Amino acid sequence: MSKSTYQDALSRLESTAAAAGTSPEVVESLRHPKSILSTTLSVRMDDGRMRYFPAYRCHYNNILGPSKGGIRFHPAVDQDEVTALALWMTIKCAVLGLPYGGGKGGVQVDPKRLTPMELERLSRHYMRSMADFIGPELDIPAPDVNTNARIMGWMLSEYEVIHKRRTPAVITGKPICLGGSEGREEATGRGAFHCVEALLKRIGRNASEMTVAIQGFGNAGQHIAQLLQDVGCTIVAISDSRGGIYSSSGFDTYSIAREKERSRIVRGVYCDKSVCEAVPHEQISNEELLALDVDLLIPAALDGVIHRGNADSVRADYILEVANGPVRADAEDILMNKGVVIVPDVLVNAGGVTVSYFEWVQNRQGYPWDLSTVRSRLESHMITAFDEVWNEAEQRRCTLRDAAYALALRRIELSMKSLGTQEYFQNGE
Ligand code: NAD
């Protein structure tokens, strides 16, 4: 039987903690999620039927601060996946040095099958069910797969009705006019882009010589595609849940984003003003995309897409994990033996939570920042974190993932030790 996503996340935590020499008491504490709220949302459909949707919220660990993590709407959401994602958030916030613990939430639903009014009722009901489990100093949600600023706005307004006060800092990724931050929507893609810039510097290569394949063309995938295209990378393949497109001469990702906005489909087109025309390309499957011979492979959709069964077919030199958990732990050795370098999710996609942190700070200060302030602070946070992870990996001759986990575990350990662990209570150390 294959491991669950959470078991996979735990085994990765345990092996990296062993290599980093983390105190057993700290590792043991990270084996146990702090609290999980599991419930069922009953939502009245437009045709009068009542439907029932499993919903979850997990506070994984809060030693460094309140829980922070997105809310995902997807048919594959379950408690196991939410818990794994919350563990990764714990590590991610610590890698970036943010004053947060890790959390995550989700609803098992295909939101594409709901009308806008059904989606609003579901989103408000989620917040109603979680209203005492969420709060600006307790747990601060944000968007994730299939959730967006409007949904965050609905949830915020529901929370404010229940608690009878304006509380913008309770949720991030909301519309700017409701207290959202400039630059939040692009933040995950932009943060990942800064990791590519820093990587290219370290490996001495130019953007213009890089070919790139991107799986997933949603919020994160579209922004990184456009930023990489702007600096001269050739984006040879793009996909979404329905499949992908390939062209060795590269795509104009702005045109493809425009066409996707119009038709909801990833098509190989070039748009001049309002006219879009097909460009020569091949249709490929998501599996074929993962096996393309490119310099940089960017999984930006769901977890577990690269596993023991297909890792051997990966031909990319570098994998940039924009999605959470796209490479299963059991695929990592295979990729390492092939010389594939993985830049890990807990670093790469941390731009989203970093600008969420900025949004929370702005809400608490009542003082919004302009876009250039957000962008320059994001760049500095991302480059600092990348350099810390890279230097750690060089010093310890380990993978970038092991280095990122080691840094995060050290920060968590320091906080736990300040309150006393077994070493202190037995030996006074
Ligand atoms: P999104 O919903 O905007 O986009 C997801 C994209 O993935 C869509 O294009 C969808 O069609 C595609 N997709 C879904 N299933 C697929 C499949 N089986 N094969 C190929 N493509 C598939 O979501 P997003 O916000 O861009 O998030 C993408 C990933 O990035 C997720 O793993 C998410 O956890 C991670 N992430 C997002 C943020 C953020 O701020 N948006 C922050 C950190 C991490």
Side-chain angles (χ1 to χ4, degrees), residues 8 10 51 82 91 123 130 143-144 156 208 220-221 238 281 354 370 389 401 415 417 419:
D8 202 63
L10 271 187
R51 282 188 59 197
V82 166
I91 301 295
S123 306
M130 307 279 168
D144 192 72
L156 169 64
S208 57
I238 294 172
H281 68 275
T354 301
D370 61 19
V389 170
R401 191 185 316 278
S415 298
K417 282 194 164 166
L419 299 175

Side-chain angles (χ1 to χ4, degrees), residues 72 74 92 104 112 143-146 184 188 215-221 239-241 260 286 300-302 322-324 349 352:
R72 176 175 290 200
H74 194 275
K92 191 185 304 180
K104 203 76 183 189
K112 292 176 192 142
D144 192 72
V145 173
N146 291 329
R184 173 60 184 86
T188 302
Q215 181 189 59
F217 202 57
N219 173 310
S239 71
D240 70 1
S241 53
K260 181 159 160 90
N286 267 296
L302 298 176
V322 169
N324 282 306
N349 67 31

Side-chain angles (χ1 to χ4, degrees), residues 368-386:
W369 308 348
D370 61 19
L371 181 59
S372 67
T373 304
V374 171
R375 282 184 174 169
S376 70
R377 288 183 179 170
L378 170 65
E379 180 173 4
S380 127
H381 270 65
M382 292 305 300
I383 299 284
T384 302
F386 184 94

